[in-house]
Amino acid sequence: MTSNENRINALDCRSWERVLCVVAHPDDTEYGISAAVNAWTKSGIDVSYLLLTSGEAGMKRDPEEVGPLRAKEQRAACDAVGAGELVVLDHPDGHLVESLELRRDIARRIRQFRPDAVVTLTFEFEAPQGLNQADHRAGGRAAIDAARDAGNRWVFRELAEEEGLEPWEPDVFLVGQVGDPTHVVAVDDEDVAASVASLECHREYLADLPDHPKPADFIPPMLAEAGALIGERNGVAFRVYELGGVAKPRV
């Protein structure tokens, strides 16, 4: 990739073998990122999802009913874009805390899966769509710290000493749904359709949100706007950071 501070570049993912998506809730990846997931899995990349909560506080029903329901809908959404293993942690929805425990849980999964890239959502106070949700902020910050923790033998020593998980640090960290992207993953019409279908898999969740726009009404224009940043028909925008040292935007 060429270095150009004023230019958004196409992201070269051809050397990747595994990608881990770390998000707070079921459906978080389905707002555009799943189009990139579909493109990656079509090319043979193994994509796994790590959900920090089961999203049990996100519907107008008893949380004990909602958690399993949303996990089931997320499994269908993963299948729609070819994503493989889905791991759902039991941190409380709506009460996610940027804690050492959360960082350790994410670092554990990184060492287990050994991804080339980790993907999460923006963890800024303000997101492009407005004020960011508390769990997104806590989860995203914990994820980027955990991505570096996972490569340090002396942070969370018990992962190696008690669980046999040797250190592993991903090459890059991708932040989606940002207002200031550095890179775009080009996607085709099939990937766009798969992304729409993945969000539609959250059928009962969306039914609880009567004012929510239909996925087919807003996802394709959003992906077209991102694709235009690099002269492509469609794309998914990310802010990309190199790991293995001081994290800075890869430009």
Side-chain angles (χ1 to χ4, degrees), residues 56-66 69 204-205 207-208:
E56 71 276 6
M59 294 176 66
K60 302 171 185 176
R61 308 186 192 182
D62 189 317
E64 293 186 4
E65 175 188 356
V66 171
L69 168 64
E204 296 200 44
Y205 171 69
D208 255 23

Side-chain angles (χ1 to χ4, degrees), residues 179-203:
D180 54 351
T182 59
H183 289 78
V184 172
V185 174
V187 299
D188 60 24
D189 289 345
E190 180 183 339
D191 303 324
V192 174
S195 184
V196 170
S198 70
L199 182 52
E200 290 174 339
C201 288
H202 297 275
R203 182 176 59 85

